Amino acid sequence: MEATIKVVLLGDSSVGKTSIVTRLKSGKFPEKHAATIGAAFVTKTIEVSTSDTSMEKRIHMEIWDTAGQERYKSLVPMYYRDANIALLVFELNNAASLQCALTWFQDLQDRAQETQVILVGNKQDLVSEEQSSKVEIPVELQGVPYVPVSAKTGYNFDALNEIIISLVPGDQFKTSKDNEQGNKVELNNKSSRSGCIC
Ligand SMILES: Nc1nc2c(ncn2[C@@H]2O[C@H](COP(=O)(O)OP(=O)(O)OP(=O)(O)O)[C@@H](O)[C@H]2O)c(=O)[nH]1
């Protein structure tokens, strides 16, 4: 069973969106950092194994990392359009960045109601465990899954992956047979369209 989902990261500049993408993709913390220009795109496949091998799932994630700098803000809606999941990233040591995440949440509610949201508090390595679990989540975000992480140490990335997996709707999964069938339909449509044009 396979599913392809679009995941987008939103949040203030320097909260660690690119570092989270790198940690998700390769399990590493990037040595060099440069502010994202516009947006960047990577893919990552997660294998979900179960005791019944016929039920094994593969999730292909198309991950869009957006730029947090103000000058790119107007471009961001283009990237979260049609996203299945949005990671709203803030820094645990910076309360203003949580307010910025709230602004993105309100934007999504206005323009992308279908997108599922995960609130990600990054840089857990810079605060105490108590501070990261006692974050004052704004009331609007209180029903949203929340996970404190550290892109630097890898803390809680298993939990983040699990939340992502749990948010992929069952009907998004197709068997390879379904996919072949989809391709056949697509080919048939193409040939009938080309017939019309002639
Ligand atoms: N201590 C610590 N630093 C981090 C962590 N994640 C990212 N950083 C640092 O935070 C800074 C910004 O990281 P980026 O990943 O470039 O942030 P961004 O949100 O993609 O920034 P923009 O591209 O400007 O939107 C860099 O200096 C990173 O090294 C973390 O978990 N812990």
Side-chain angles (χ1 to χ4, degrees):
M1 307 268 275
E2 303 196 346
T4 300
I5 58 163
K6 177 176 171 183
V7 178
V8 67
L9 283 90
L10 305 173
D12 213 349
S13 183
S14 295
V15 292
K17 297 179 295 300
T18 304
S19 307
I20 289 172
V21 171
T22 308
R23 176 66 71 180
L24 282 171
K25 166 91 184 159
S26 63
K28 294 187 179 137
F29 183 61
E31 290 299 321
K32 290 187 183 158
H33 294 273
T36 305
I37 297 172
F41 170 76
V42 301
T43 59
K44 163 81 183 170
T45 298
I46 311 181
E47 311 274 349
V48 188
S49 45
T50 61
S51 49
D52 177 357
T53 50
S54 68
M55 293 303 288
E56 272 177 8
K57 290 178 177 172
R58 191 172 291 153
I59 300 171
H60 305 288
M61 292 198 285
E62 298 174 350
I63 308 174
W64 286 91
D65 174 19
T66 61
Q69 288 181 358
E70 188 63 31
R71 71 183 112 155
Y72 301 115
K73 207 170 173 189
S74 62
L75 297 177
V76 174
M78 201 161 75
Y79 298 105
Y80 67 57
R81 208 172 43 203
D82 304 330
N84 300 93
I85 296 176
L87 306 187
L88 295 187
V89 184
F90 71 99
E91 290 173 310
L92 287 162
N93 56 348
N94 172 1
S97 70
L98 181 53
Q99 284 307 309
C100 179
L102 174 60
T103 310
W104 282 122
F105 178 68
Q106 287 161 338
D107 229 54
L108 288 172
Q109 289 208 307
D110 289 344
R111 305 202 220 179
Q113 291 96 344
E114 303 292 303
T115 303
Q116 310 242 39
V117 175
I118 304 172
L119 183 63
V120 181
N122 189 35
K123 308 196 183 179
Q124 176 274 346
D125 57 292
L126 296 181
V127 299
S128 68
E129 208 158 305
E130 202 191 349
Q131 273 175 292
S132 70
S133 56
K134 285 200 175 151
V135 174
E136 286 195 21
I137 309 276
V139 66
E140 296 88 334
L141 286 166
Q142 278 176 10
V144 165
Y146 162 62
V147 59
V149 302
S150 168
K152 186 169 187 174
T153 64
Y155 172 79
N156 249 354
F157 270 70
D158 286 349
L160 177 57
N161 271 315
E162 269 168 35
I163 298 174
I164 293 174
I165 292 165
S166 74
L167 292 182
V168 182
D171 60 7
Q172 194 99 5
F173 287 94
K174 307 266 182 274
T175 60
S176 21
K177 250 189 184 168
D178 291 335
N179 287 336
E180 275 170 30
Q181 193 63 34
N183 289 341
K184 276 183 199 152
V185 170
E186 177 69 8
L187 286 174
N188 287 343
N189 283 345
K190 274 188 185 153
S191 63
S192 64
R193 268 207 302 272
S194 69
C196 283
I197 290 164
C198 294

